[in-house]
Amino acid sequence: MMRAYPRIAIAGFQHETNCFGTTKAGLTEFEMADSWPAMLQGEEVITETRGMNLPIAGFANAAKEAGMELVPILWCAAEPSAHVTDHAFDAICGKILDGLGAAWPVDGIFLDLHGAMVTESHADGEGELLRRLRAWAGPELPILVSLDLHANISEDLVDLADYIAIYRTYPHLDMAETGERCVPVLQHLLAGERLHKVFRQMDYLIPLHAQYTSATPGRDLYAVLPRLEEAGVLADIALGFTAADLPDTRPSCVAYARTAVAAAQAADHIASLFARLEAQSAHPMLSPEQAAKIACQPRAAMPVVLADVQDNPGAGGTSDTTGLLAALADAGAQNVLMGLFHDPETAAAARKAGQGGLFRTALGGRSGVAGDKPFEANFEVLALGDGICRYSGEMYGGGVAALGPTAALRLTGAEADISLVVTSIRNQCLDLAHFTHIGLKPETFDTICVKSTAHFRAAFEPIASAVYPVAAPGVFPCDLGRFPYKNLHPDVRTAPAKG
Ligand SMILES: [Zn+2]
Protein backbone atom coordinates (compact mmCIF):
# COMPACT_ATOMS: atom_id res chain seq x y z
CA MET A 1 0.00 0.00 0.00
CA MET A 2 1.56 3.29 -1.09
CA ARG A 3 1.82 6.03 1.55
CA ALA A 4 0.32 9.43 0.68
CA TYR A 5 3.78 10.95 1.07
CA PRO A 6 6.31 8.25 0.26
CA ARG A 7 9.49 8.36 2.39
CA ILE A 8 12.59 8.17 0.22
CA ALA A 9 16.12 7.83 1.57
CA ILE A 10 18.76 9.60 -0.55
CA ALA A 11 22.54 9.23 -0.54
CA GLY A 12 25.52 9.87 -2.81
CA PHE A 13 28.98 8.26 -3.00
CA GLN A 14 31.02 9.13 -6.09
CA HIS A 15 34.46 8.01 -7.19
CA GLU A 16 35.95 7.45 -10.63
CA THR A 17 38.87 5.08 -10.16
CA ASN A 18 41.95 5.18 -12.40
CA CYS A 19 43.44 1.70 -11.85
CA PHE A 20 46.75 2.98 -13.27
CA GLY A 21 46.82 5.99 -10.91
CA THR A 22 49.42 6.47 -8.20
CA THR A 23 47.51 7.80 -5.17
CA LYS A 24 44.50 6.14 -3.54
CA ALA A 25 41.33 7.76 -2.18
CA GLY A 26 41.10 7.40 1.61
CA LEU A 27 38.43 8.71 3.96
CA THR A 28 40.15 12.16 4.10
CA GLU A 29 39.77 12.55 0.33
CA PHE A 30 36.01 11.92 0.65
CA GLU A 31 35.70 14.26 3.64
CA MET A 32 37.51 17.26 2.10
CA ALA A 33 36.21 19.82 -0.40
CA ASP A 34 37.86 19.85 -3.83
CA SER A 35 36.09 20.45 -7.12
CA TRP A 36 32.96 19.25 -5.31
CA PRO A 37 31.71 19.92 -1.74
CA ALA A 38 33.08 18.27 1.39
CA MET A 39 31.25 15.24 2.85
CA LEU A 40 27.64 16.19 3.66
CA GLN A 41 25.49 14.42 6.24
CA GLY A 42 21.79 14.59 7.14
CA GLU A 43 19.92 17.74 6.09
CA GLU A 44 23.16 19.26 4.70
CA VAL A 45 22.84 16.83 1.79
CA ILE A 46 19.89 18.92 0.60
CA THR A 47 20.75 22.40 1.87
CA GLU A 48 24.39 22.37 0.68
CA THR A 49 23.67 21.04 -2.82
CA ARG A 50 20.49 23.02 -3.56
CA GLY A 51 20.56 24.53 -7.05
CA MET A 52 23.80 22.74 -7.99
CA ASN A 53 24.28 20.63 -11.10
CA LEU A 54 24.41 17.36 -9.12
CA PRO A 55 22.12 14.32 -9.47
CA ILE A 56 21.16 14.39 -5.81
CA ALA A 57 20.16 18.07 -6.07
CA GLY A 58 18.05 17.42 -9.16
CA PHE A 59 16.41 14.38 -7.59
CA ALA A 60 15.71 16.14 -4.26
CA ASN A 61 14.12 19.13 -5.94
CA ALA A 62 11.87 17.09 -8.25
CA ALA A 63 10.97 14.55 -5.53
CA LYS A 64 9.85 17.30 -3.15
CA GLU A 65 7.73 18.84 -5.88
CA ALA A 66 6.21 15.40 -6.42
CA GLY A 67 5.20 15.31 -2.76
CA MET A 68 7.79 12.83 -1.50
CA GLU A 69 9.24 13.04 1.99
CA LEU A 70 13.03 12.88 1.74
CA VAL A 71 15.38 11.38 4.31
CA PRO A 72 18.86 12.63 3.36
CA ILE A 73 21.63 10.38 4.66
CA LEU A 74 25.02 11.28 3.19
CA TRP A 75 26.72 12.63 0.05
CA CYS A 76 30.43 12.50 -0.67
CA ALA A 77 32.88 12.46 -3.56
CA ALA A 78 36.65 12.37 -3.92
CA GLU A 79 38.70 13.68 -6.83
CA PRO A 80 39.36 10.78 -9.26
CA SER A 81 42.46 8.78 -8.31
CA ALA A 82 43.69 5.20 -7.88
CA HIS A 83 41.61 2.73 -5.83
CA VAL A 84 39.31 3.64 -2.94
CA THR A 85 40.80 2.20 0.24
CA ASP A 86 38.87 -0.59 1.97
CA HIS A 87 38.81 1.59 5.10
CA ALA A 88 37.08 4.48 3.27
CA PHE A 89 34.67 2.22 1.38
CA ASP A 90 33.59 0.26 4.46
CA ALA A 91 33.27 3.42 6.54
CA ILE A 92 31.10 5.22 3.95
CA CYS A 93 28.94 2.15 3.20
CA GLY A 94 28.55 1.77 6.99
CA LYS A 95 27.37 5.39 7.33
CA ILE A 96 24.82 4.88 4.54
CA LEU A 97 23.52 1.66 6.13
CA ASP A 98 23.38 3.25 9.59
CA GLY A 99 21.48 6.19 8.12
CA LEU A 100 19.06 3.83 6.44
CA GLY A 101 18.55 2.01 9.74
CA ALA A 102 17.77 5.30 11.49
CA ALA A 103 15.41 6.35 8.69
CA TRP A 104 13.58 3.01 8.49
CA PRO A 105 10.93 2.33 7.30
CA VAL A 106 11.33 3.96 3.89
CA ASP A 107 9.51 3.34 0.62
CA GLY A 108 12.50 3.68 -1.69
CA ILE A 109 16.14 4.70 -2.04
CA PHE A 110 17.81 7.06 -4.53
CA LEU A 111 21.59 6.80 -4.92
CA ASP A 112 23.84 9.34 -6.69
CA LEU A 113 26.79 7.14 -7.79
CA HIS A 114 29.50 7.21 -10.46
CA GLY A 115 29.69 3.67 -11.81
CA ALA A 116 33.48 3.38 -12.17
CA MET A 117 34.44 2.93 -8.51
CA VAL A 118 37.08 0.27 -7.83
CA THR A 119 38.15 -0.42 -4.25
CA GLU A 120 41.15 -2.29 -2.90
CA SER A 121 38.95 -5.40 -2.50
CA HIS A 122 36.03 -4.87 -4.91
CA ALA A 123 36.36 -4.45 -8.68
CA ASP A 124 32.74 -3.25 -8.75
CA GLY A 125 32.42 -0.71 -5.93
CA GLU A 126 28.85 0.33 -6.77
CA GLY A 127 27.77 -3.31 -7.16
CA GLU A 128 29.16 -4.08 -3.71
CA LEU A 129 27.35 -1.09 -2.15
CA LEU A 130 24.08 -2.26 -3.75
CA ARG A 131 24.66 -5.82 -2.50
CA ARG A 132 25.01 -4.52 1.06
CA LEU A 133 21.92 -2.33 0.73
CA ARG A 134 19.85 -5.14 -0.80
CA ALA A 135 20.95 -7.56 1.91
CA TRP A 136 19.68 -5.06 4.46
CA ALA A 137 16.55 -3.72 2.72
CA GLY A 138 15.36 -6.87 0.95
CA PRO A 139 14.57 -7.53 -2.72
CA GLU A 140 11.32 -5.54 -2.96
CA LEU A 141 12.35 -2.01 -1.96
CA PRO A 142 12.75 0.20 -5.06
CA ILE A 143 16.37 1.33 -5.43
CA LEU A 144 17.07 3.88 -8.16
CA VAL A 145 20.55 4.95 -9.18
CA SER A 146 22.02 7.76 -11.26
CA LEU A 147 25.40 7.14 -12.89
CA ASP A 148 28.08 9.13 -14.69
CA LEU A 149 28.40 8.85 -18.48
CA HIS A 150 31.83 7.29 -17.75
CA ALA A 151 30.43 4.35 -15.78
CA ASN A 152 31.73 0.83 -16.41
CA ILE A 153 28.48 -0.94 -15.60
CA SER A 154 28.33 -4.54 -14.36
CA GLU A 155 25.50 -6.99 -14.88
CA ASP A 156 25.25 -7.27 -11.06
CA LEU A 157 24.57 -3.55 -10.69
CA VAL A 158 21.80 -3.68 -13.29
CA ASP A 159 20.28 -6.71 -11.52
CA LEU A 160 20.44 -5.09 -8.08
CA ALA A 161 19.01 -1.68 -9.06
CA ASP A 162 15.41 -1.23 -10.18
CA TYR A 163 16.36 1.62 -12.46
CA ILE A 164 19.56 3.28 -13.63
CA ALA A 165 19.67 6.76 -15.22
CA ILE A 166 22.92 7.96 -16.83
CA TYR A 167 24.21 11.44 -17.79
CA ARG A 168 23.74 12.08 -21.50
CA THR A 169 26.25 14.88 -21.99
CA TYR A 170 30.05 15.20 -21.81
CA PRO A 171 30.88 17.86 -20.56
CA HIS A 172 28.31 16.77 -17.96
CA LEU A 173 25.77 19.57 -18.18
CA ASP A 174 22.81 17.35 -17.24
CA MET A 175 23.82 15.87 -13.88
CA ALA A 176 20.91 17.44 -11.99
CA GLU A 177 18.54 16.53 -14.81
CA THR A 178 19.67 12.89 -14.59
CA GLY A 179 18.65 12.78 -10.93
CA GLU A 180 15.37 14.43 -11.83
CA ARG A 181 14.62 11.75 -14.45
CA CYS A 182 14.48 9.15 -11.67
CA VAL A 183 11.46 10.74 -9.98
CA PRO A 184 8.69 9.74 -12.45
CA VAL A 185 10.17 6.23 -12.63
CA LEU A 186 10.10 5.97 -8.85
CA GLN A 187 6.45 7.09 -8.84
CA HIS A 188 5.71 4.41 -11.41
CA LEU A 189 7.41 1.72 -9.28
CA LEU A 190 5.71 2.93 -6.09
CA ALA A 191 2.37 2.56 -7.86
CA GLY A 192 3.18 -1.12 -8.21
CA GLU A 193 3.99 -1.07 -11.93
CA ARG A 194 7.05 -2.94 -13.10
CA LEU A 195 9.66 -2.36 -15.76
CA HIS A 196 11.47 -5.02 -17.76
CA LYS A 197 15.17 -4.31 -18.16
CA VAL A 198 17.81 -5.28 -20.67
CA PHE A 199 21.55 -4.62 -20.40
CA ARG A 200 24.07 -4.78 -23.26
CA GLN A 201 27.83 -4.29 -23.21
CA MET A 202 29.71 -3.13 -26.31
CA ASP A 203 32.88 -4.62 -27.74
CA TYR A 204 35.20 -1.66 -28.25
CA LEU A 205 36.56 1.15 -26.09
CA ILE A 206 36.20 4.83 -26.98
CA PRO A 207 39.16 6.98 -25.86
CA LEU A 208 38.08 9.68 -23.39
CA HIS A 209 39.08 12.59 -25.64
CA ALA A 210 36.75 11.19 -28.34
CA GLN A 211 33.75 10.88 -26.00
CA TYR A 212 32.55 14.49 -25.89
CA THR A 213 28.95 14.55 -26.99
CA SER A 214 29.00 17.47 -29.41
CA ALA A 215 30.88 15.24 -31.90
CA THR A 216 30.37 11.75 -33.24
CA PRO A 217 30.16 9.00 -32.04
CA GLY A 218 28.65 10.45 -28.81
CA ARG A 219 26.39 12.95 -30.57
CA ASP A 220 24.79 10.24 -32.75
CA LEU A 221 24.47 7.71 -29.93
CA TYR A 222 22.73 10.06 -27.51
CA ALA A 223 20.44 11.46 -30.22
CA VAL A 224 18.62 8.14 -30.28
CA LEU A 225 17.51 8.22 -26.62
CA PRO A 226 14.73 10.85 -26.87
CA ARG A 227 13.32 8.96 -29.87
CA LEU A 228 13.22 5.72 -27.87
CA GLU A 229 11.56 7.58 -25.02
CA GLU A 230 8.80 8.73 -27.38
CA ALA A 231 8.30 5.06 -28.19
CA GLY A 232 7.90 4.26 -24.48
CA VAL A 233 11.39 2.90 -23.74
CA LEU A 234 13.63 4.52 -21.11
CA ALA A 235 17.15 3.82 -22.30
CA ASP A 236 20.55 5.19 -21.32
CA ILE A 237 24.12 4.80 -22.54
CA ALA A 238 27.43 4.79 -20.66
CA LEU A 239 30.58 5.37 -22.72
CA GLY A 240 32.82 3.80 -20.08
CA PHE A 241 35.98 4.84 -18.23
CA THR A 242 39.04 3.50 -20.02
CA ALA A 243 41.51 3.76 -17.11
CA ALA A 244 39.99 0.71 -15.39
CA ASP A 245 41.60 -2.61 -16.27
CA LEU A 246 38.52 -4.84 -15.81
CA PRO A 247 36.22 -7.09 -17.86
CA ASP A 248 33.42 -4.53 -17.37
CA THR A 249 35.54 -1.69 -18.78
CA ARG A 250 33.48 -1.01 -21.91
CA PRO A 251 30.56 1.09 -23.13
CA SER A 252 27.12 -0.28 -22.32
CA CYS A 253 23.42 0.51 -22.41
CA VAL A 254 20.37 -0.14 -20.24
CA ALA A 255 16.80 -0.18 -21.52
CA TYR A 256 13.59 -0.26 -19.43
CA ALA A 257 10.15 -0.86 -20.89
CA ARG A 258 6.73 -2.31 -20.10
CA THR A 259 7.59 -5.42 -22.11
CA ALA A 260 10.81 -7.42 -22.30
CA VAL A 261 10.60 -7.39 -26.10
CA ALA A 262 10.47 -3.58 -26.31
CA ALA A 263 13.45 -3.27 -23.94
CA ALA A 264 15.47 -5.82 -25.94
CA GLN A 265 14.67 -4.16 -29.27
CA ALA A 266 15.83 -0.79 -27.96
CA ALA A 267 19.07 -2.25 -26.57
CA ASP A 268 19.72 -4.05 -29.89
CA HIS A 269 19.16 -0.81 -31.78
CA ILE A 270 21.71 1.00 -29.60
CA ALA A 271 24.21 -1.86 -29.97
CA SER A 272 23.87 -1.78 -33.78
CA LEU A 273 24.45 1.98 -33.74
CA PHE A 274 27.65 1.43 -31.71
CA ALA A 275 28.77 -1.10 -34.34
CA ARG A 276 28.13 1.38 -37.17
CA LEU A 277 30.04 4.20 -35.43
CA GLU A 278 33.16 2.25 -34.43
CA ALA A 279 35.42 3.72 -37.13
CA GLN A 280 34.52 7.24 -35.94
CA SER A 281 35.68 6.59 -32.36
CA ALA A 282 39.32 7.37 -33.21
CA HIS A 283 40.04 11.11 -32.83
CA PRO A 284 43.55 12.42 -33.68
CA MET A 285 45.90 13.97 -31.10
CA LEU A 286 48.94 16.23 -31.57
CA SER A 287 52.39 15.57 -30.13
CA PRO A 288 53.61 18.31 -27.74
CA GLU A 289 56.03 19.48 -30.46
CA GLN A 290 53.25 19.78 -33.05
CA ALA A 291 51.15 21.66 -30.48
CA ALA A 292 54.05 24.04 -29.77
CA LYS A 293 54.32 24.84 -33.50
CA ILE A 294 50.63 25.81 -33.54
CA ALA A 295 51.17 27.97 -30.44
CA CYS A 296 53.96 29.84 -32.29
CA GLN A 297 51.80 30.74 -35.30
CA PRO A 298 50.53 34.34 -35.43
CA ARG A 299 47.09 34.68 -33.87
CA ALA A 300 44.49 36.99 -35.35
CA ALA A 301 41.45 36.70 -33.13
CA MET A 302 40.53 34.25 -30.41
CA PRO A 303 42.95 31.98 -28.54
CA VAL A 304 43.77 28.41 -29.52
CA VAL A 305 43.10 25.87 -26.76
CA LEU A 306 45.54 22.99 -26.31
CA ALA A 307 44.08 20.25 -24.10
CA ASP A 308 46.68 18.26 -22.13
CA VAL A 309 44.24 15.35 -22.26
CA GLN A 310 46.41 12.68 -20.63
CA ASP A 311 47.07 14.64 -17.42
CA ASN A 312 43.46 15.33 -16.47
CA PRO A 313 43.01 15.15 -12.68
CA GLY A 314 39.32 14.57 -13.39
CA ALA A 315 40.38 11.18 -14.76
CA GLY A 316 42.89 10.45 -11.99
CA GLY A 317 45.83 12.38 -13.51
CA THR A 318 48.43 13.98 -11.24
CA SER A 319 47.84 17.37 -12.95
CA ASP A 320 51.55 18.16 -12.73
CA THR A 321 53.17 16.69 -15.84
CA THR A 322 55.42 19.07 -17.73
CA GLY A 323 55.69 17.68 -21.28
CA LEU A 324 53.55 20.33 -22.93
CA LEU A 325 55.09 23.14 -20.84
CA ALA A 326 58.61 22.04 -21.82
CA ALA A 327 57.71 21.84 -25.53
CA LEU A 328 56.16 25.34 -25.46
CA ALA A 329 59.17 26.76 -23.59
CA ASP A 330 61.63 25.14 -26.04
CA ALA A 331 59.70 26.58 -28.99
CA GLY A 332 59.71 30.08 -27.45
CA ALA A 333 55.90 30.32 -27.53
CA GLN A 334 54.49 33.76 -26.62
CA ASN A 335 51.46 34.87 -24.61
CA VAL A 336 50.56 31.40 -23.32
CA LEU A 337 48.33 30.63 -20.31
CA MET A 338 48.42 27.20 -18.62
CA GLY A 339 46.55 25.51 -15.74
CA LEU A 340 46.07 23.98 -13.34
CA PHE A 341 49.38 22.61 -12.09
CA HIS A 342 49.02 20.72 -8.81
CA ASP A 343 52.18 21.51 -6.85
CA PRO A 344 51.70 22.53 -3.19
CA GLU A 345 55.47 23.08 -2.72
CA THR A 346 55.69 25.56 -5.58
CA ALA A 347 52.53 27.32 -4.35
CA ALA A 348 54.18 27.65 -0.91
CA ALA A 349 57.46 28.90 -2.43
CA ALA A 350 55.51 31.53 -4.38
CA ARG A 351 53.82 32.65 -1.17
CA LYS A 352 57.25 33.00 0.48
CA ALA A 353 58.54 35.06 -2.47
CA GLY A 354 55.44 37.31 -2.26
CA GLN A 355 53.52 39.09 -4.98
CA GLY A 356 55.99 40.53 -7.53
CA GLY A 357 58.76 38.36 -6.11
CA LEU A 358 61.10 36.18 -8.14
CA PHE A 359 62.07 32.61 -7.27
CA ARG A 360 63.49 29.47 -8.83
CA THR A 361 61.67 26.14 -8.57
CA ALA A 362 61.41 22.67 -10.07
CA LEU A 363 57.72 22.65 -11.05
CA GLY A 364 55.65 19.44 -11.08
CA GLY A 365 56.95 16.30 -12.78
CA ARG A 366 56.14 13.92 -9.93
CA SER A 367 53.74 11.63 -11.82
CA GLY A 368 56.23 8.80 -12.16
CA VAL A 369 55.30 8.56 -15.85
CA ALA A 370 58.18 7.68 -18.17
CA GLY A 371 59.44 10.80 -19.93
CA ASP A 372 58.03 13.22 -17.38
CA LYS A 373 60.27 15.30 -15.11
CA PRO A 374 60.13 18.52 -13.07
CA PHE A 375 60.45 21.77 -15.06
CA GLU A 376 63.19 23.86 -13.48
CA ALA A 377 62.98 27.58 -14.17
CA ASN A 378 62.76 31.11 -12.73
CA PHE A 379 59.30 32.51 -12.10
CA GLU A 380 57.75 35.85 -11.17
CA VAL A 381 54.76 35.77 -8.79
CA LEU A 382 51.92 37.59 -10.59
CA ALA A 383 49.30 36.98 -7.89
CA LEU A 384 48.54 34.87 -4.82
CA GLY A 385 45.14 33.51 -3.76
CA ASP A 386 43.40 31.37 -1.17
CA GLY A 387 42.01 29.09 -3.90
CA ILE A 388 38.35 29.69 -3.14
CA CYS A 389 37.05 29.75 -6.68
CA ARG A 390 33.41 30.39 -7.56
CA TYR A 391 32.58 28.54 -10.77
CA SER A 392 31.15 30.74 -13.53
CA GLY A 393 30.49 28.11 -16.23
CA GLU A 394 27.41 26.06 -17.03
CA MET A 395 28.75 22.73 -15.74
CA TYR A 396 29.42 23.65 -12.12
CA GLY A 397 27.84 27.13 -11.95
CA GLY A 398 26.67 27.94 -8.43
CA GLY A 399 29.33 25.71 -6.87
CA VAL A 400 32.67 26.60 -5.30
CA ALA A 401 36.01 24.89 -5.98
CA ALA A 402 38.62 24.56 -3.25
CA LEU A 403 42.04 24.87 -4.92
CA GLY A 404 44.01 25.46 -1.69
CA PRO A 405 46.73 28.17 -1.58
CA THR A 406 47.18 29.17 -5.22
CA ALA A 407 49.67 31.23 -7.25
CA ALA A 408 49.68 32.80 -10.71
CA LEU A 409 53.24 32.65 -12.04
CA ARG A 410 55.09 33.90 -15.13
CA LEU A 411 58.18 32.31 -16.59
CA THR A 412 61.13 34.74 -16.47
CA GLY A 413 64.60 34.73 -18.01
CA ALA A 414 63.38 32.62 -20.93
CA GLU A 415 62.55 33.36 -24.53
CA ALA A 416 59.04 32.01 -24.07
CA ASP A 417 56.28 34.03 -22.40
CA ILE A 418 54.19 31.60 -20.36
CA SER A 419 51.87 32.32 -17.40
CA LEU A 420 50.45 29.50 -15.32
CA VAL A 421 48.30 28.77 -12.28
CA VAL A 422 49.63 26.48 -9.53
CA THR A 423 47.27 25.01 -6.91
CA SER A 424 47.62 23.04 -3.66
CA ILE A 425 44.55 20.79 -4.21
CA ARG A 426 44.08 18.82 -7.46
CA ASN A 427 41.25 20.26 -9.58
CA GLN A 428 40.41 19.83 -13.25
CA CYS A 429 40.80 23.04 -15.28
CA LEU A 430 37.31 23.25 -16.76
CA ASP A 431 35.98 26.70 -15.87
CA LEU A 432 37.19 30.20 -16.85
CA ALA A 433 37.01 31.07 -13.14
CA HIS A 434 40.03 28.82 -12.54
CA PHE A 435 42.01 31.64 -14.20
CA THR A 436 39.87 34.74 -13.58
CA HIS A 437 39.63 34.17 -9.81
CA ILE A 438 43.34 34.98 -9.58
CA GLY A 439 43.25 37.92 -11.99
CA LEU A 440 44.16 36.25 -15.30
CA LYS A 441 41.98 36.91 -18.35
CA PRO A 442 42.02 33.82 -20.60
CA GLU A 443 40.64 35.62 -23.68
CA THR A 444 43.67 37.98 -23.76
CA PHE A 445 46.11 35.10 -24.36
CA ASP A 446 47.07 33.63 -27.76
CA THR A 447 47.18 30.06 -26.45
CA ILE A 448 45.45 28.47 -23.45
CA CYS A 449 46.54 25.04 -22.19
CA VAL A 450 44.14 23.14 -19.94
CA LYS A 451 44.73 19.92 -18.03
CA SER A 452 41.35 18.47 -18.96
CA THR A 453 40.14 15.93 -21.51
CA ALA A 454 36.72 17.26 -22.51
CA HIS A 455 34.93 19.01 -19.62
CA PHE A 456 36.78 22.26 -20.48
CA ARG A 457 34.90 22.42 -23.79
CA ALA A 458 31.70 23.87 -22.27
CA ALA A 459 33.48 26.99 -20.97
CA PHE A 460 36.47 27.34 -23.32
CA GLU A 461 35.07 26.51 -26.78
CA PRO A 462 33.07 29.78 -26.88
CA ILE A 463 36.31 31.81 -26.51
CA ALA A 464 38.50 29.56 -28.72
CA SER A 465 39.29 29.75 -32.43
CA ALA A 466 40.31 26.06 -32.34
CA VAL A 467 40.75 23.19 -29.87
CA TYR A 468 43.46 20.50 -30.16
CA PRO A 469 43.91 17.44 -27.93
CA VAL A 470 47.62 16.92 -27.16
CA ALA A 471 49.22 13.61 -26.16
CA ALA A 472 51.84 14.69 -23.59
CA PRO A 473 52.92 12.41 -20.69
CA GLY A 474 50.23 11.60 -18.08
CA VAL A 475 48.74 8.70 -16.13
CA PHE A 476 45.62 8.77 -18.30
CA PRO A 477 46.73 7.63 -21.78
CA CYS A 478 44.18 8.35 -24.51
CA ASP A 479 46.11 6.27 -27.03
CA LEU A 480 44.55 3.04 -25.73
CA GLY A 481 46.81 0.74 -27.75
CA ARG A 482 49.65 1.81 -25.42
CA PHE A 483 47.70 1.05 -22.21
CA PRO A 484 49.04 -1.92 -20.19
CA TYR A 485 45.63 -3.67 -20.00
CA LYS A 486 45.63 -7.23 -18.64
CA ASN A 487 42.01 -7.86 -17.63
CA LEU A 488 39.79 -6.49 -20.39
CA HIS A 489 37.07 -8.82 -21.69
CA PRO A 490 38.60 -10.84 -24.57
CA ASP A 491 35.99 -9.46 -27.00
CA VAL A 492 36.88 -5.82 -26.30
CA ARG A 493 39.01 -3.92 -28.84
CA THR A 494 41.16 -0.91 -27.86
CA ALA A 495 41.25 0.51 -31.40
CA PRO A 496 38.63 0.45 -34.17
CA ALA A 497 38.41 -2.84 -36.06
CA LYS A 498 39.95 -2.53 -39.52
CA GLY A 499 37.71 -2.71 -42.60
ZN1 LIG B 1 32.32 11.62 -16.14
Side-chain angles (χ1 to χ4, degrees):
M1 189 55 194
M2 192 174 131
R3 248 188 279 261
Y5 302 99
R7 262 169 78 78
I8 308 300
I10 62 172
F13 181 13
Q14 286 228 17
H15 191 259
E16 183 180 70
T17 306
N18 180 328
C19 296
F20 304 100
T22 44
T23 51
K24 292 183 179 178
L27 195 53
T28 309
E29 281 68 36
F30 285 98
E31 285 169 345
M32 68 189 266
D34 41 41
S35 52
W36 275 353
M39 183 181 281
L40 305 171
Q41 303 196 55
E43 280 301 320
E44 287 174 350
V45 171
I46 292 175
T47 56
E48 298 299 307
T49 63
R50 189 169 287 141
M52 289 176 71
N53 182 22
L54 290 177
I56 203 149
F59 179 89
N61 187 43
K64 275 196 172 167
E65 277 181 14
M68 295 178 189
E69 180 193 344
L70 297 181
V71 191
I73 297 176
L74 169 137
W75 184 93
C76 65
E79 206 66 13
S81 66
H83 303 73
V84 175
T85 64
D86 283 342
H87 171 250
F89 182 73
D90 290 337
I92 294 165
C93 288
K95 282 174 189 280
I96 294 174
L97 279 165
D98 288 350
L100 193 58
W104 204 254
V106 300
D107 302 298
I109 303 175
F110 168 75
L111 298 170
D112 170 356
L113 308 177
H114 184 287
M117 187 197 300
V118 183
T119 75
E120 287 171 328
S121 295
H122 302 287
D124 178 15
E126 287 84 2
E128 178 59 24
L129 169 64
L130 264 283
R131 258 188 294 280
R132 294 183 190 186
L133 284 173
R134 274 282 174 231
W136 199 91
E140 301 300 328
L141 190 78
I143 302 182
L144 291 84
V145 175
S146 68
L147 295 179
D148 191 286
L149 171 145
H150 299 114
N152 292 323
I153 303 176
S154 69
E155 185 123 41
D156 283 354
L157 185 66
V158 178
D159 284 347
L160 289 159
D162 293 281
Y163 177 68
I164 292 174
I166 306 170
Y167 310 163
R168 296 175 175 179
T169 57
Y170 180 34
H172 303 327
L173 303 180
D174 65 334
M175 292 185 279
E177 207 179 299
T178 305
E180 235 173 84
R181 284 197 277 122
C182 290
V183 173
V185 181
L186 176 56
Q187 287 175 310
H188 186 83
L189 296 171
L190 289 171
E193 308 258 353
R194 63 172 299 224
L195 288 172
H196 292 269
K197 55 188 165 192
V198 170
F199 174 55
R200 292 262 191 287
Q201 289 175 304
M202 310 307 159
D203 52 12
Y204 66 92
L205 302 185
I206 305 173
L208 199 68
H209 73 284
Q211 291 187 1
Y212 63 102
T213 49
S214 54
T216 191
R219 184 186 55 210
D220 303 307
L221 289 165
Y222 287 94
V224 85
L225 301 180
R227 294 204 288 272
L228 289 172
E229 217 155 302
E230 280 168 24
V233 182
L234 299 173
D236 268 311
I237 295 169
L239 296 181
F241 185 61
T242 53
D245 186 15
L246 301 164
D248 287 322
T249 301
R250 52 205 298 193
S252 61
C253 73
V254 286
Y256 301 88
R258 284 203 163 85
T259 68
V261 172
Q265 279 174 347
D268 288 345
H269 180 61
I270 292 169
S272 68
L273 198 54
F274 263 96
R276 277 216 301 282
L277 293 168
E278 179 167 359
Q280 294 170 52
S281 67
H283 288 203
M285 289 187 284
L286 302 178
S287 69
E289 293 69 29
Q290 289 170 322
K293 264 192 195 150
I294 287 175
C296 290
Q297 287 167 1
R299 193 81 60 237
M302 298 198 290
V304 158
V305 172
L306 302 175
D308 196 352
V309 294
Q310 305 197 115
D311 189 32
N312 169 11
T318 51
S319 207
D320 78 335
T321 65
T322 59
L324 183 55
L325 170 58
L328 290 164
D330 283 349
Q334 299 297 304
N335 203 25
V336 176
L337 176 63
M338 305 186 81
L340 300 166
F341 283 87
H342 174 235
D343 187 337
E345 286 166 29
T346 293
R351 189 153 294 259
K352 209 167 152 200
Q355 186 162 350
L358 300 173
F359 71 111
R360 186 167 182 81
T361 191
L363 176 70
R366 294 173 189 86
S367 65
V369 173
D372 183 43
K373 57 177 194 281
F375 180 84
E376 198 168 337
N378 295 317
F379 291 95
E380 176 193 354
V381 181
L382 298 177
L384 296 165
D386 60 5
I388 300 301
C389 170
R390 216 160 271 285
Y391 292 113
S392 58
E394 188 181 353
M395 184 170 158
Y396 283 151
V400 177
L403 311 179
T406 296
L409 307 178
R410 187 175 192 176
L411 197 59
T412 59
E415 199 189 316
D417 176 15
I418 300 175
S419 299
L420 44 89
V421 177
V422 179
T423 72
S424 302
I425 299 176
R426 268 187 327 133
N427 271 252
Q428 180 178 179
C429 188
L430 49 73
D431 195 296
L432 298 177
H434 284 137
F435 294 118
T436 57
H437 89 284
I438 197 156
L440 297 167
K441 296 186 176 124
E443 67 279 7
T444 64
F445 288 83
D446 289 343
T447 303
I448 305 168
C449 302
V450 290
K451 288 183 176 292
S452 171
T453 312
H455 280 323
F456 71 93
R457 286 180 180 271
F460 287 86
E461 274 183 345
I463 65 157
S465 57
V467 171
Y468 298 97
V470 183
V475 302
F476 191 89
C478 290
D479 178 356
L480 302 180
R482 298 174 66 176
F483 236 48
Y485 290 116
K486 293 191 185 70
N487 304 305
L488 291 182
H489 190 282
D491 292 347
V492 168
R493 295 178 290 284
T494 55
K498 297 265 187 301

